[in-house]
Amino acid sequence: MQISIQPDPDNACQHAAQLIVQAIKKHLATDQRPFVLGLPTGGSPLGVYEQLVRLYKAGEISFKNVVTFNMDEYLGLKPTHPQSYHHYMHENFFNRVDIPADNINLFKGDTETPDEDCQAYEAKMLSYGGVDLFLGGMGENGHIAFNESGTGFGSRTRVVDLAEATRQVNARFFQNSDEVPKQALSIGTATLLAAKRIILIVTGFKKASAMKSTIEGGLNHLCPASALQLHADATIVCDKAAVAELEPLTVALFNRG
């Protein structure tokens, strides 16, 4: 695992976007051999999507031969709901680049067969040979996607119960906390670790405690992000505020610029 410490959130998002673009270009993607990209939602990735859109508009990258799989979705929300991740992804990324609609894979929040859909979602990822790169964010308790504290490292795509702390954090996007769904569809920790490469974007002092647990606390199911220690090619791109609680020796050891 590597840590790339940038001066501020803008630089962190720019660096993460550049790493993604470099990976897509190196893959030499074609229609028959697409680049498979896993994507998150939330506040932290917004800057990365802005940078990817900017690079697309500048002619630096095309997404025509990119296939995407999103990490999660609220269970019970229709795709048209303004707080659905279906809506989030189209507004912030898909509608602004040249990715074909058929290449976009999203959970159906209003499904009547959630368990079957989760199995099919995982199987479809495997049908492409797995995910080439998963971009992710990290919650204040170290969760990735909706893999809450206590999630086993062997978990796969499934229906999950949302922790009350996560619901409260996300309540700011709804009119009131009662509207926040209590369940979600989410990839598992093992699904994430199966990706060939992982890039986590982590910014802000609110994430500093989770970063300390992720990097210095050892493997711990209470901090799902600590599972990245098991991955051969995982990079956390962060700002200085996010590493404020790390020991200076840790920063010196892991930081690769």
Side-chain angles (χ1 to χ4, degrees):
M1 181 168 56
Q2 296 182 352
I3 308 172
S4 177
I5 304 172
Q6 303 298 317
D8 51 50
D10 288 342
N11 279 277
C13 290
Q14 183 176 354
H15 184 63
Q18 288 286 357
L19 291 177
I20 293 168
V21 168
Q22 290 169 11
I24 294 172
K25 288 183 175 180
K26 185 178 179 180
H27 189 80
L28 300 176
T30 65
D31 182 54
Q32 298 300 313
R33 186 176 173 270
F35 185 87
V36 183
L37 178 63
L39 295 173
T41 55
S44 299
L46 282 173
V48 180
Y49 291 136
E50 286 296 326
Q51 290 297 326
L52 289 174
V53 171
R54 179 184 65 81
L55 292 168
Y56 160 70
K57 290 182 176 180
E60 294 292 323
I61 190 64
S62 169
F63 295 92
K64 286 183 178 179
N65 293 317
V66 173
V67 170
T68 64
F69 285 89
N70 260 74
M71 282 187 162
D72 47 22
E73 177 60 279
Y74 288 117
L75 184 58
L77 295 191
K78 295 181 179 180
T80 54
H81 192 288
Q83 297 308 325
S84 74
Y85 291 158
H86 185 285
H87 183 270
Y88 170 107
M89 289 304 305
H90 281 83
E91 286 292 306
N92 293 301
F93 187 51
F94 295 146
N95 290 347
R96 303 169 66 192
V97 296
D98 61 346
I99 186 168
D102 289 344
N103 287 13
I104 298 170
N105 293 280
L106 293 156
F107 287 103
K108 298 177 182 178
D110 58 348
T111 179
E112 295 183 359
T113 56
D115 293 327
E116 291 86 344
D117 285 8
C118 285
Q119 292 179 20
Y121 199 79
E122 181 101 18
K124 191 171 184 180
M125 276 186 271
L126 293 174
S127 75
Y128 282 97
V131 175
D132 292 300
L133 189 156
F134 243 125
L135 172 67
M138 183 173 72
E140 293 177 21
N141 63 353
H143 75 258
I144 300 178
F146 278 128
N147 293 293
E148 300 282 8
S149 295
T151 299
F153 291 164
S155 60
R156 291 284 180 176
T157 305
R158 69 212 184 283
V159 178
V160 299
D161 295 324
L162 299 183
E164 187 57 31
T166 297
R167 293 184 68 246
Q168 291 302 319
V169 168
N170 291 346
R172 68 187 188 276
F173 301 116
F174 294 80
Q175 291 188 358
N176 60 71
S177 58
D178 292 336
E179 292 185 3
V180 184
K182 295 183 178 181
Q183 290 185 308
L185 308 169
S186 177
I187 66 163
T189 305
T191 312
L192 174 69
L193 294 178
K196 299 177 181 71
R197 186 176 181 186
I198 301 170
I199 296 174
L200 224 60
I201 178 73
V202 183
T203 59
F205 181 73
K206 287 184 177 180
K207 307 292 178 70
S209 178
M211 278 286 285
K212 186 174 182 64
S213 297
T214 297
I215 307 302
E216 296 178 339
L219 293 173
N220 189 337
H221 291 176
L222 296 180
C223 180
S226 67
L228 293 187
Q229 296 178 34
L230 299 170
H231 200 275
D233 192 357
T235 301
I236 299 178
V237 181
C238 59
D239 63 355
K240 289 183 177 179
V243 297
E245 294 190 14
L246 292 183
E247 296 294 332
L249 217 64
T250 302
V251 174
L253 176 64
F254 280 98
N255 186 31
R256 299 294 186 269

